[in-house]
Amino acid sequence: LTYRGRTLVLFLKLKQEYKESKSPSPEKSRMMISSHFRRSFSIGTFRRCCAVCQTDRGNLDRSFSNNQTPCEIDTIQRNNLSFRFRSSIHNKTETTIRYASSKSNTNGNTPTTKDAEKPVKKPKKVTTLSMAAMKRRGEKITMVTAYDFPSAVHVDRAGVDVLLVGDSCAMVELGFETTQPITLDQMIHHCQAVKRGAPNRPLLVGDMPFGSYEYKDVDIALKNAYRMVKEGGMDAVKFEGGSEARANIVRHVVEGGVAVLGHVGLTPQAISVLGGFRAQGRTAANARSLLDDALRLQDAGAFAVVLECVPANVATAITEALEIPTIGIGAGGGTSGQVLVFHDLLGMLSHPHHEEFVPRFCKQYARVGMEITNGLVQFKDEVKNGAFPGNDYSPYKMNKMEEEIFNELLEDGAKEEGASASSVDDIDESEQLNLYGNSKTDSR
């Protein structure tokens, strides 16, 4: 008989026993079905009603427990199941049939096996065009500044739209007092780590460090931007400033094929000119200058502009004047999106002595630093008092026979070491006597 014929015979046999009031026990039916489906031939995808209770096989996901009697045929998921799953799903020692997925869907129903086996789609990549579309729809853009692989993994899992590898890495990760000391090679190093941690969804932007793009020769900026993209794996780069000279650089880089994120307001790389980390745009003339800078960057081809440490009304006016999105940091809620540093928003340095370094505009959504400190202190204490690792964290064992052999080897080694040590002592004593001329010499 063909496979379909054998399957039909099995179903008819069970149906006949059911009609003759010889309903097979769940144990027997499960064993018969399991042995039948373990055979190494292909399984067709034909569909039929249940041969026992005549119910439709359209939706077969019916889990049972608490001594409930299921339909033995109806609980078999034949369509789109592998032989391994099909044979293991009817383990007679279990009281509940295991399905491909035990999770519920959004409607609260158990998903079908067909739905559970659908491949998980990769999240859609955020691009410069999608950011522009988000502004048109009035959807806020989220951006987080991170510098390493673990941080990037967390940012990606959270579904943040843009991940900026900022030159503030010099202060947050490397311990410098300003952002100026970090080099292009160091930035590329951190960009590579971030790329490995968030390779799919967020738009990756690399911050061009101080001294890598400000030259009159705009080809230098383009060359270094290429390095950020090709070596660092970034999708775009960020330049600080919006002067005419900076706009020319942005235009040249964009024409060279690299997307550029602008940055006006407080530009940390120019603190020597600004006189420190000071808010910008608090006078009418200064605010108008920031608007002009942002417009120049837009005309030069920047896909978005970061507004840092400016009054909320100024940031709102700039956002309304621009067609491209604006990302605010300490600039109020009128911008197209918001950005914070990973370490700041999570309270990574939430020690009392470091509270003064948290920016006033930064909201701390967690106090991870305190938990890290507590964990490290607990580890130190447990090591000191011998509580760690203990038997629970010493999983590797030696069987008794090997342990006895090992102990014998240690004893034999100790004996040999003692004998060699005594001979060494004799040699040392002889050498000392010869050294001081007290040894006896043979006289002839």
Side-chain angles (χ1 to χ4, degrees):
L1 293 175
T2 63
Y3 168 70
R4 292 191 178 186
R6 286 191 293 268
T7 304
L8 183 60
V9 169
L10 174 63
F11 288 169
L12 292 177
K13 183 178 179 181
L14 292 174
K15 182 178 180 181
Q16 185 66 25
E17 292 186 28
Y18 183 84
K19 287 183 177 180
E20 295 176 0
S21 299
K22 297 180 180 179
S23 178
S25 64
E27 190 87 9
K28 179 179 178 182
S29 297
R30 205 173 283 140
M31 293 175 63
M32 294 173 61
I33 295 167
S34 297
S35 62
H36 178 71
F37 283 118
R38 270 198 291 266
R39 306 190 182 201
S40 58
F41 44 75
S42 62
I43 291 181
T45 58
F46 63 93
R47 305 176 68 86
R48 64 173 66 247
C49 63
C50 174
V52 176
C53 62
Q54 301 298 323
T55 55
D56 186 14
R57 292 186 66 255
N59 184 4
L60 300 182
D61 284 319
R62 300 177 183 175
S63 61
F64 64 97
S65 59
N66 300 327
N67 297 324
Q68 297 178 7
T69 303
C71 168
E72 295 299 328
I73 304 300
D74 199 27
T75 53
I76 302 174
Q77 280 286 13
R78 293 198 303 274
N79 294 332
N80 301 320
L81 291 180
S82 63
F83 280 110
R84 179 178 299 178
F85 183 75
R86 190 176 293 106
S87 61
S88 65
I89 199 173
H90 299 288
N91 190 338
K92 64 180 184 301
T93 62
E94 295 181 351
T95 58
T96 302
I97 289 183
R98 297 172 298 173
Y99 292 96
S101 175
S102 62
K103 298 181 180 180
S104 298
N105 56 23
T106 56
N107 296 326
N109 302 322
T110 305
T112 62
T113 306
K114 184 176 181 181
D115 294 335
E117 291 187 351
K118 289 182 180 180
V120 179
K121 294 182 179 180
K122 290 184 178 180
K124 189 175 181 180
K125 176 72 175 179
V126 178
T127 65
T128 58
L129 294 179
S130 61
M131 287 181 61
M134 292 171 70
K135 179 180 180 179
R136 290 194 299 269
R137 295 194 302 266
E139 179 182 352
K140 292 292 186 178
I141 301 170
T142 57
M143 179 190 293
V144 171
T145 301
Y147 317 103
D148 52 32
F149 175 83
S151 302
V153 171
H154 288 296
V155 172
D156 189 17
R157 288 179 177 177
V160 176
D161 300 317
V162 185
L163 202 164
L164 170 65
V165 187
D167 61 351
S168 53
C169 174
M171 302 175 66
V172 178
E173 289 277 349
L174 306 181
F176 292 109
E177 295 183 356
T178 68
T179 64
Q180 293 177 342
I182 196 167
T183 65
L184 180 62
D185 290 334
Q186 290 173 324
M187 284 298 303
I188 291 175
H189 171 78
H190 286 275
C191 289
Q192 292 170 342
V194 168
K195 174 65 175 180
R196 289 189 290 267
N200 296 323
R201 184 183 185 280
L203 179 72
L204 302 180
V205 182
D207 211 345
M208 298 295 291
F210 182 65
S212 64
Y213 61 92
E214 297 89 347
Y215 306 95
K216 290 183 178 180
D217 186 358
V218 292
D219 286 335
I220 296 177
L222 180 59
K223 177 181 178 181
N224 291 333
Y226 283 152
R227 290 194 62 192
M228 291 289 282
V229 173
K230 299 178 70 172
E231 299 178 31
M234 296 293 99
D235 302 315
V237 296
K238 182 173 79 68
F239 293 142
E240 290 187 6
S243 64
E244 293 182 3
R246 198 58 42 83
N248 291 333
I249 295 174
V250 171
R251 182 177 294 104
H252 185 68
V253 172
V254 171
E255 290 175 353
V258 179
V260 174
L261 172 65
H263 185 165
V264 298
L266 172 60
T267 50
Q269 294 177 5
I271 60 170
S272 300
V273 178
L274 299 177
F277 296 99
R278 298 176 180 274
Q280 303 297 308
R282 290 191 290 183
T283 65
N286 195 348
R288 176 62 194 186
S289 177
L290 292 180
L291 175 58
D292 293 338
D293 291 346
L295 290 171
R296 271 193 291 266
L297 292 174
Q298 176 179 263
D299 295 340
F303 68 88
V305 176
V306 173
L307 304 177
E308 181 171 359
C309 294
V310 300
N313 62 320
V314 176
T316 301
I318 295 175
T319 302
E320 293 176 352
L322 297 180
E323 297 179 0
I324 60 176
T326 58
I327 310 296
I329 176 169
T335 55
S336 306
Q338 297 291 325
V339 57
L340 285 177
V341 175
F342 180 87
H343 295 69
D344 292 341
L345 70 92
L346 294 180
M348 295 290 287
L349 297 178
S350 55
H351 187 277
H353 295 290
H354 296 98
E355 293 292 342
E356 56 182 303
F357 295 102
V358 178
R360 293 173 57 187
F361 55 76
C362 179
K363 178 180 178 180
Q364 290 188 348
Y365 292 86
R367 296 180 65 85
V368 178
M370 296 300 294
E371 294 298 325
I372 292 175
T373 302
N374 294 336
L376 292 173
V377 170
Q378 184 178 358
F379 166 73
K380 181 202 69 174
D381 293 341
E382 290 188 359
V383 171
K384 291 288 186 181
N385 59 32
F388 179 81
N391 293 330
D392 294 338
Y393 297 96
S394 301
Y396 311 110
K397 307 295 181 182
M398 180 183 291
N399 60 50
K400 293 183 178 180
M401 180 179 297
E402 294 295 334
E403 186 175 356
E404 292 176 358
I405 297 174
F406 179 64
N407 292 333
E408 292 177 0
L409 292 175
L410 290 179
E411 292 177 359
D412 295 341
K415 293 178 181 179
E416 295 178 358
E417 184 177 355
S420 61
S422 61
S423 63
V424 170
D425 292 340
D426 295 339
I427 294 174
D428 290 342
E429 183 180 1
S430 175
E431 290 180 348
Q432 291 176 2
L433 293 175
N434 291 333
L435 178 63
Y436 291 97
N438 294 326
S439 62
K440 296 181 180 180
T441 57
D442 294 336
S443 58
R444 290 176 182 262

